[in-house]
Amino acid sequence: MMKRYKDLVPWIIYFLVFGGMLFVRGGGHYVHLAMQIIILGLFATSFNVLFGKTGLLSFGQALFYGLGAYITGMAAKSFGPDYFMWALLAVPLVAIVVSILLGALSLRLSDVYFTMLTLAFAQLAWGITIKWYGLTRGDDGIQAIPKPALLTGNVNYYLFSFLVVTACIYFLWRLDRSPFGSVLEGIRQNSLRVTFTGMSVFRHQLLAYVISSSFTAIAGGLYAGIDGSIHPDMFYWTMSGSIILMTILGGMSGFFGPIIGVTIFVLLEDMVGRSTEYWSFVIGIIMLIMVMIFPHGIIGIATYFGKFFARKGGQVDNP
Amino acid sequence: MSIETIISQFVGGLSVSMLLFLVASGLTLIFGVAKVFNFAHGSFYLLGAYFSYQAIALFNNFWAGVIAATIGAGLIGMLLEICFIRKIRGRSEEGAFQILLTYAFILIIDDAVKFIWGPEYKTIQKPPSLAGTLEIGAVSLPKYNLFIIVLGIVIVIVAWYILSRTKTGKIIQAASTDSQMVGLLGVNVSMVMSLVFGVATAMGGLAGAMAAPLRTVTSGSGVEVIIESLIVVVIGGLGNFWGALLGAVLIGEVNAFGVLWLPQWASLLSFVVMIVVLIFKPKGLLSNEPTRKKI
Amino acid sequence: MTTLEIKNLSKHFGGLHVSNDISMSIKKGEIAAIIGPNGAGKTTLFNQITGYISPDNGKIFYKGEEITGSNPEKLVKTGIVRAFQVASLFYDETVYNNLHLAALSYHGKNWNFFSNRHASRDIEDHCRFILERLGLSKKAEVKAFELSHGDQKVLDIAIALTMKPTLLLLDEPTAGMSPDERVKMTRLIKAIHEEFELTTLFVEHDMDMVFGIADIIRVLVRGELIAEGNAADIQNNPAVIEAYLGYEVL
């Protein structure tokens, strides 16, 4: 019974924080920030299915983020606001097809080779988006993407994104605790043993890749609706890099770590990033500190202090 | 296409190849010996270019710039290895953390350079002795490009000599296959690794200084170079010295001739080449590693 | 009835013949041992039987069907399961969870990505049963990396048993153990062999163990089988004494 409540705590905090955003006074700016947080939160949580869970460092998940955004953006721009929703539904389907293809190619490689191949695919997608002006309007990006009337306005769109993201995150949370999640953890720790308990490492990795990429694409699709403006840089490798950083910042070993990381990162960027030109210097230093001293992120720090105080209180860690 | 165009494109491509090789061979050396994937290797190229700019501003001599770039980048490389990279050795999921750590270096060095030298483009002139062209029959070739090619060939020969004919080279090669064993034989492995890191980053710095007169010097160029060099080493086979050379020549020439053939899409051709290579030869062209790990 | 049959198996790495024209067969219910000096190609032979590497030449039959070139994961599902020389565990997980993952695979739940991983009673019972039989019940909640070396080797075998093998391959089950632990391990292997009705093939350096429990012993030297027989045959075989025992004494 105790365990059940423990599972609920992060969800209660989740609903309090992101639901509460709707009631912040004069919160236009904060609702806008909250939209970014929740959408990037979905991106980071999906990314962590690969990284924290399965042990696969993809440096190219921006490809799916951009893909989702461009499908949604181009469809709504060319066919009208009603197609915004249809495009959003088509996004995961297209992402499934693309990720099966790219996943099957890149998962044949391991470690650094996998990381670099995913990076190469994403950079290729970025290059194509920049150069194929006729289709994507190149470096200009796509502006003024129309949305259906119901989704217009910050509050309405936030509510919509919140519902979609929450459904997706719930699905990923179930996956995290599922037997399949157990296999992914096994692959991260000892893929050889997974093979010799009768499971194909490649196929499980591929499914993880497809799921991760599809949810990333949904996040990208939602992003196209925030300001109605998208740019090829959504495909760029620094986008993938930032998501990795946010994931590490929050903690890759806990399910909610990436969302915590995104929240802190976006708020920091809002406060610090606007007052300095040297924002990447700041995030470089944060990344350096996290990797060197706190590889388990904020969740890791919290658990450490949690255990520390539990011990002081005379409690025992292991039942 | 006339034979003259082909020759001049080829020579142009080859000089780009040699610069790429300087960066890529360092990257591959670090990976081969220290098992570190130095994502920030392009940042040493960047540092080289700026160090060179600074030294030329002070001494008004191109070669002073080249020397400052080589030594400066090498020292900073060694420093970062000793202070950071060495410290995370042996951690679980080390590979991922190395990539992330060196990614942090990229972000920091990029902005530090902007902070110190300002965001505007810098230009460096070719040394007067290498300005102008050399006429061979109907083909006129820039002297500077020819010089880079010669320099590249000299470095290839020296590196080959050191790696295969000297004691130091043998220790380096042994350290790359079995560092524990070499440690037992009384060789200071950490020092070998720092040294390799220093030499490799120095080569990156040298490439940055040599490339500066051909390309403009800006804080974004480190990132462009690392992606190109990544492609080069992955094509050739990570950790393989000759693979880096093959990859560099391939990519340099693909770019040189790609521009004639598909001007708009040329910059994407390297990615296509890499993807094709990896699909058919997942560990790179010059790799004969077994595809499965030993139990 | 023959459980495993190997015909003219050959494998070389570069110029080195690690398996040189090996033929042998293992009957159902047998405990078969392979001995040989280090570098004789024992682990490579295991890797070929379990499908981890493919032989250059020759064929492998399991229960009369050819399995040469099959995937390791498929072979595990048909009952060919191995344990490792260096215990291959999920070191950050508890002992229970180590078995749990194997049990998920055995019960075909590994693709389920929506239910709670601990929901199934069958799987729990399955794991508890194996834990109890191998004497690991009390350590169920201990992390694998905290176990003693001996217990890690037992856990390695427990994971293999969770897959309900027909043919169990053990790669040096007593490697690195104290004399006490060796005796226990030998008893354990004998006991599970009988209780789970296994056919067991193992590689070992501990001669007391080999001569104590093996029904049939084969000697592998430089990739070649040079002798085959029961304990007495092997102990008196001059070729073995020369090639193997002499080597060990030196």
Side-chain angles (χ1 to χ4, degrees), chain B residues 18-251:
Chain B
M18 286 305 163
L19 292 173
L20 265 179
F21 167 74
L22 281 182
V23 184
S25 60
L27 188 64
T28 218
L29 190 67
I30 293 176
F31 187 80
V33 177
K35 299 285 171 284
V36 171
F37 189 79
N38 182 20
F39 206 173
H41 209 65
S43 303
F44 294 96
Y45 168 99
L46 178 70
L47 283 174
Y50 276 93
F51 285 162
S52 158
Y53 169 81
Q54 188 63 52
I56 292 171
L58 289 174
F59 303 108
N60 199 20
N61 181 321
F62 180 81
W63 304 106
V66 172
I67 293 167
T70 313
I71 296 175
L75 285 180
I76 291 184
M78 270 171 90
L79 192 73
L80 292 180
E81 197 274 340
I82 292 168
C83 297
F84 300 103
I85 293 171
R86 186 183 288 184
K87 298 275 159 62
I88 64 165
R89 196 161 279 283
R91 187 188 277 183
S92 63
E93 283 158 76
E94 186 185 355
F97 280 111
Q98 276 169 358
I99 293 177
L100 299 173
L101 179 61
T102 47
Y103 175 51
F105 294 162
I106 297 180
L107 297 173
I108 295 169
I109 293 175
D110 259 24
D111 262 11
V113 160
K114 245 190 267 174
F115 180 73
I116 298 169
W117 286 284
E120 64 280 357
Y121 288 12
K122 301 278 185 288
T123 47
I124 290 178
Q125 299 301 322
K126 292 173 189 172
S129 54
L130 293 175
T133 58
L134 203 66
E135 309 294 329
I136 303 169
V139 192
S140 69
L141 300 168
K143 280 185 194 164
Y144 191 75
N145 291 24
L146 291 172
F147 175 76
I148 288 176
I149 294 171
V150 172
L151 180 73
I153 293 170
V154 168
I155 287 175
V156 169
I157 294 170
V158 169
W160 166 80
Y161 181 80
I162 291 175
L163 285 173
S164 62
R165 291 280 182 272
T166 64
K167 197 180 163 217
T168 324
K170 291 201 173 117
I171 291 173
I172 289 173
Q173 292 209 327
S176 72
T177 47
D178 191 347
S179 60
Q180 253 183 338
M181 196 53 172
V182 176
L184 291 176
L185 293 175
V187 175
N188 184 340
V189 177
S190 340
M191 213 184 72
V192 171
M193 303 229 166
S194 307
L195 212 66
V196 164
F197 221 88
V199 171
T201 48
M203 277 158 77
L206 172 63
M210 294 305 298
L214 298 174
R215 306 173 172 186
T216 43
V217 178
T218 118
S219 70
S221 53
V223 172
E224 283 164 32
V225 167
I226 187 62
I227 295 199
E228 282 176 359
S229 334
L230 273 174
I231 294 176
V232 164
V233 295
V234 170
I235 286 176
L238 259 178
N240 187 315
F241 180 77
W242 298 110
L245 184 59
L246 177 67
V249 172
L250 198 61
I251 290 300

Side-chain angles (χ1 to χ4, degrees), chain B residues 92 292-295, chain C residues 47 51-52 82 84:
Chain B
S92 63
R292 284 182 166 179
K293 277 181 284 183
K294 219 183 148 193
I295 297 176
Chain C
N47 285 346
Y52 194 62
R82 68 175 294 173
F84 294 80

